[in-house]
Amino acid sequence: MKRVGVIGGGQLAWMMADAAQKLGVELVVQTPSVHDPAVSIAQETVFAPVDDAIATEILAQKCDVITFENEFVNLQALSVLAQQGVCFRPRLEALAPLLDKYHQRCYLRDLGLPVPQFFALEEVGNLKSKIEYLGFPAVLKSRRHGYDGQGTFIIKDFATLEQKLSYETKTKPLNKSLFLLEEFVPFERELAIIAARSVEGEIVTYPVVETQQEQQVCRRVIAPVQITPNQVAEIQAIAHTLLNSLEVVGIFGIELFLGANGKVLVNEIAPRTHNSGHFSIDACETSQFEQHLRAVCGLPLGNPALQCAGAVMVNLLGYENSHSDYQSQRHQIAEIPQAHLHWYGKTESRPGRKLGHVTVLLENQNRESASVIAHTIESIWYPK
Ligand code: ADP
């Protein structure tokens, strides 16, 4: 029996429950609120924010290994625990270059991986000439703590950039070191790959998927994406290079852009299980959650292959402030043939909040039929 500490108690930790039970693993969660989804499935909970390293010291006493469902931790404080022998998987050194989006871009570039053109705002001597080099639209990003598109802004001209920067700094003094500026990639599609690496250094990758974002938030995932075998091989090679270079133990999600010219660029790395891998719970022999627990517990990795021709995953995002549990919509969605509904049990709905997801298994790999099913789900879920 292994006890795994999980920093963060959201839906990603909650979705580890079935896998934990299957593997005979107990989960101990560090999360601030009694209402967080994973509290109900945890053997024990340490109630504290994810960046509270004193709480993580308590967590460490209760388990054999610590992993992350949320990477916004205080690495410096945790490194003291690591020096005292606390086992973090992935290791803290694997997270260190990734938590700041500018450092992450630099790390990927230095590894020789393809990334969009980018600058740190603090480095930009002449902002105007640099941004003219990138051209408009450009993308302004908060370097830290961005998720679900929070902190990502598409900038259409210089005036908008100046306005955005002064708006962002109204309440605090202007700190350009908080921002990254990059080229807008006119992608044809967005892709993602989930990859896992074991303690022994074995790597497995899941099928490359298409992700569809609206207002920078993931709405749908189609697995597998129809791209050329060379593109699949290129993306798998990116995953291998990255996970080997960081000596990752566990799951990573890698988000990519596919240009109209067929060129692949890496957008972002998630050092944990990822929304783009949720289809694996119902569609793959080994889910990303089981795979992650296998890796961090030092078990051999499982088979990541699809058990069906394809799958489409649709996020159920909040669209109002409410305490409803949406029984009627959930019931209708669950009636769709081959549909698997996952409801995170959050007590409060807010616009954009991820409340659940549904995966529908497909008999073919037809993008059009996947889109029709996604549309059916969304027309049940979202009010007219
Ligand atoms: P987050 O960390 O908040 O998920 P991302 O950097 O992944 O932020 O951006 C969210 C979405 O914004 C992406 O999925 C994509 O649709 C869009 N986006 C981000 N960066 C760019 C870019 N350089 N060019 C075009 N679109 C972008």
Side-chain angles (χ1 to χ4, degrees):
M1 169 73 74
K2 273 248 181 194
R3 278 168 77 92
V4 176
V6 183
I7 300 185
Q11 65 266 17
L12 299 178
W14 177 77
M15 281 185 268
M16 287 177 186
D18 286 349
Q21 197 172 26
K22 176 174 169 188
L23 298 174
V25 165
E26 288 181 352
L27 301 177
V28 186
V29 167
Q30 174 179 335
T31 201
S33 166
V34 68
H35 299 299
D36 290 339
V39 172
S40 65
I41 57 91
Q43 203 71 27
E44 216 179 313
T45 303
V46 177
F47 289 103
V50 297
D51 61 354
D52 181 340
I54 295 171
T56 305
E57 191 170 359
I58 296 166
L59 180 73
Q61 287 157 8
K62 298 176 186 290
C63 49
D64 307 303
V65 54
I66 291 180
T67 192
F68 309 88
E69 78 111 50
N70 180 321
E71 64 275 27
F72 298 142
V73 293
N74 181 345
L75 279 186
Q76 219 177 349
L78 292 188
S79 67
V80 177
L81 299 182
Q83 279 157 20
Q84 291 164 359
V86 175
C87 178
F88 292 98
R89 288 180 177 160
R91 65 198 182 111
L92 303 179
E93 292 83 350
L95 301 186
L98 304 179
L99 301 195
D100 174 314
K101 287 188 187 200
Y102 174 71
H103 294 157
Q104 184 182 118
R105 284 252 181 281
C106 293
Y107 186 83
L108 297 171
R109 177 199 59 200
D110 295 348
L111 262 184
L113 300 181
V115 289
Q117 301 264 17
F118 67 99
F119 301 104
L121 227 52
E122 63 186 340
E123 279 183 0
V124 178
N126 182 344
L127 183 57
K128 202 154 192 175
S129 73
K130 291 282 189 179
I131 193 155
E132 271 160 13
Y133 171 78
L134 290 180
F136 289 108
V139 181
L140 180 72
K141 291 185 176 178
S142 301
R143 287 173 54 167
R144 285 185 173 270
H145 294 146
Y147 70 98
D148 287 350
Q150 315 234 358
T152 293
F153 312 100
I154 315 286
I155 302 289
K156 65 177 195 309
D157 54 27
F158 197 70
T160 315
L161 176 63
E162 286 195 310
Q163 198 186 9
K164 187 76 220 162
L165 287 176
S166 64
Y167 174 79
E168 281 294 302
T169 53
K170 235 178 217 161
T171 49
K172 356 174 199 35
L174 180 65
N175 187 351
K176 287 185 175 172
S177 67
L178 299 176
F179 295 100
L180 158 75
L181 200 56
E182 65 184 32
E183 71 173 301
F184 178 85
V185 180
F187 54 81
E188 193 238 319
R189 288 184 206 185
E190 290 190 82
L191 311 177
I193 188 167
I194 299 287
R197 186 172 176 280
S198 71
V199 172
E200 273 83 38
E202 180 199 359
I203 291 179
V204 300
T205 56
Y206 283 79
V208 181
V209 299
E210 172 179 354
T211 67
Q212 297 178 355
Q213 273 64 231
E214 281 178 24
Q215 269 105 48
Q216 283 120 38
V217 182
C218 177
R219 290 284 292 262
R220 301 161 214 104
V221 172
I222 300 174
V225 65
Q226 300 297 311
I227 51 175
T228 68
N230 279 346
Q231 287 167 330
V232 171
E234 184 187 347
I235 292 167
Q236 287 171 339
I238 288 171
H240 278 252
T241 302
L242 178 71
L243 270 67
N244 279 331
S245 157
L246 290 169
E247 296 177 29
V248 170
V249 173
I251 285 266
F252 268 33
I254 305 173
E255 296 180 88
L256 310 110
F257 298 125
L258 178 64
N261 54 6
K263 222 177 113 182
V264 168
L265 295 175
V266 179
N267 174 28
E268 202 182 22
I269 311 300
R272 49 169 165 75
T273 56
H274 190 252
N275 197 172
S276 64
H278 289 359
F279 72 95
S280 65
I281 300 175
D282 305 298
C284 296
E285 191 170 318
T286 311
S287 78
Q288 63 166 343
F289 300 98
E290 177 179 343
Q291 200 72 278
H292 185 67
L293 286 177
R294 285 183 161 278
V296 304
C297 291
L299 298 168
L301 298 181
N303 179 2
L306 281 167
Q307 286 180 301
C308 46
V312 55
M313 191 273 338
V314 178
N315 276 334
L316 303 178
L317 302 178
Y319 51 81
E320 61 179 359
N321 291 302
S322 161
H323 288 279
S324 170
D325 62 1
Y326 301 98
Q327 279 286 356
S328 143
Q329 282 138 291
R330 281 160 59 189
H331 186 74
Q332 282 182 63
I333 291 169
E335 296 279 281
I336 295 171
Q338 296 296 326
H340 299 260
L341 179 76
H342 300 261
W343 185 252
Y344 307 151
K346 296 182 183 178
T347 50
E348 219 187 315
S349 168
R350 288 191 297 274
R353 194 168 194 213
K354 288 173 177 163
L355 301 178
H357 76 263
V358 53
T359 298
V360 179
L361 307 184
L362 306 174
E363 283 166 4
N364 58 49
Q365 298 185 350
N366 183 317
R367 188 177 184 230
E368 285 313 306
S369 54
S371 294
V372 168
I373 292 172
H375 181 77
T376 304
I377 294 166
E378 290 178 345
S379 62
I380 296 171
W381 176 250
Y382 296 101
K384 305 267 172 316

